Structures are given as C-alpha cells and as structure tokens.
Amino acid sequence: RKYNEVIKQYTFIQKDYRNILIQEYTTENDYVRESAKVFNSDVEFINKFNELVDLLVNGNEQRMIFLFIDDIDLSTTRCTDVVKTLLSYLSHPRIVTFISGDTKTFEEALALDFLRQEQALDAKVFERAYYSTMEAEEVSSLVERKKTLAYEYLKKIIPPAYRRTIK
C-alpha cells in the first residue's frame, strides 16, 4: 500500500502529468485544489518516500538500503537527472548509494546542462569571454566557468574522499 502511494505521488512530480492536472479542471476551486497538490508534490513525494523507507527498514537502526547505479556516464543526458534525484529524493540516512561511471564524462554532462539551462549552448559561447578578473591575463570564458562549477558541484554530491577508481 505504501509503495503504491509513493508511485502515485511520483506521477505528480512528472512534468507531463503536472501539465495535464493543471489543465483538467472544471471549477476554480478544483483548479486551486489540484494545482496545490501539483505544486506541493515534491515535498509530499519526499515525505511518502521516507515513510516507505522507514517501513522497509522497520525502525531498525542497523538496516540499510543499498542503491546501485551503474555506468551513469553512458547516458549523458540523464546525468543531471540522477544528480537532482539523489539530492532531492534519496537523501535518507538509511540509503547508501553507489554510482559507477567516468567522473570526467559526468562533469562534462553537468557543464553542458548548465550551459543549456542558460540557453548559452551555441558555437559563440566557446569563443567569447564574459568577464575578466582584476588580472588582465586572466580572462575566463563562460564555458570554463561552467566546467569549474560542474567540478565543484560534483565534489559536493560525490566527495572525492568517497570515490574509488576501479579499472
């Protein structure tokens, strides 16, 4: 039952379903009620997911849930989604997550996503500098800054101390 509640709540956080819910209303009250459900869906999903995890570990402090995500770098378009999911929904003290993949590819996918979010992913972005520091020689391009941002972002979600290289 709890699992079905989590799945039902998960549909609310999906963009396509969200749009359908908002458009399918008959009265103003229905619209307000349904849109409140949709806009609070992230928090509600996290609560329901945590309740499911608590039920699965049955309150036992020594029980853990291990989640393995293999070859994350093979689908670069999904790297950012995985990061957001880990940060938003899977940060439960009883969940241990293992991620495998090439960190350089992961960083690259994040940097490209940052550029895409700012609608700055075109050929000119690789040529221009968007600001210069106090030192005249140090001119930083938007691409370089997004690469640095991706590296720092990845350091926070997958700290180097917890990384292991496996050949």
Side-chain angles (χ1 to χ4, degrees), residues 59-144:
N60 186 329
E61 291 293 318
Q62 296 188 343
R63 286 189 182 170
M64 305 289 281
I65 296 173
F66 293 88
L67 177 65
F68 296 87
I69 303 172
D70 192 19
D71 294 329
I72 193 170
D73 57 321
L74 295 181
S75 179
T76 57
T77 56
R78 303 294 294 173
C79 286
T80 306
D81 291 339
V82 169
V83 171
K84 289 177 183 173
T85 301
L86 288 172
L87 291 175
S88 301
Y89 307 118
L90 299 179
S91 57
H92 189 284
R94 307 273 38 113
I95 296 178
V96 177
T97 307
F98 292 88
I99 300 174
S100 76
D102 180 47
T103 54
K104 294 294 180 199
T105 304
F106 201 30
E107 282 178 39
E108 184 179 87
L110 287 171
L112 288 171
D113 190 61
F114 292 151
L115 289 167
R116 201 175 295 113
Q117 286 176 27
E118 294 182 19
Q119 298 173 344
L121 196 55
D122 61 26
K124 291 179 185 175
V125 78
F126 295 97
E127 301 165 3
R128 287 184 276 192
Y130 289 84
Y131 80 96
S132 61
T133 59
M134 299 303 262
E135 309 265 337
E137 305 91 47
E138 289 186 44
V139 176
S140 180
S141 71
L142 182 62
V143 173
E144 289 303 314

Side-chain angles (χ1 to χ4, degrees), residues 11-23:
T11 60
F12 286 126
I13 62 176
Q14 300 306 304
K15 188 176 182 180
D16 294 335
Y17 188 73
R18 194 177 278 208
N19 292 337
I20 291 169
L21 275 179
I22 291 172
Q23 292 171 6

Side-chain angles (χ1 to χ4, degrees), residues 11-64:
T11 60
F12 286 126
I13 62 176
Q14 300 306 304
K15 188 176 182 180
D16 294 335
Y17 188 73
R18 194 177 278 208
N19 292 337
I20 291 169
L21 275 179
I22 291 172
Q23 292 171 6
E24 298 286 326
Y25 59 88
T26 53
T27 68
E28 189 174 339
N29 286 339
D30 289 342
Y31 173 76
V32 169
R33 187 175 52 255
E34 289 302 313
S35 59
K37 266 198 242 177
V38 169
F39 294 121
N40 294 325
S41 61
D42 283 352
V43 173
E44 231 1 78
F45 176 76
I46 292 167
N47 290 338
K48 290 195 180 300
F49 181 79
N50 286 338
E51 288 172 9
L52 176 64
V53 171
D54 292 339
L55 184 67
L56 290 172
V57 296
N58 199 20
N60 186 329
E61 291 293 318
Q62 296 188 343
R63 286 189 182 170
M64 305 289 281

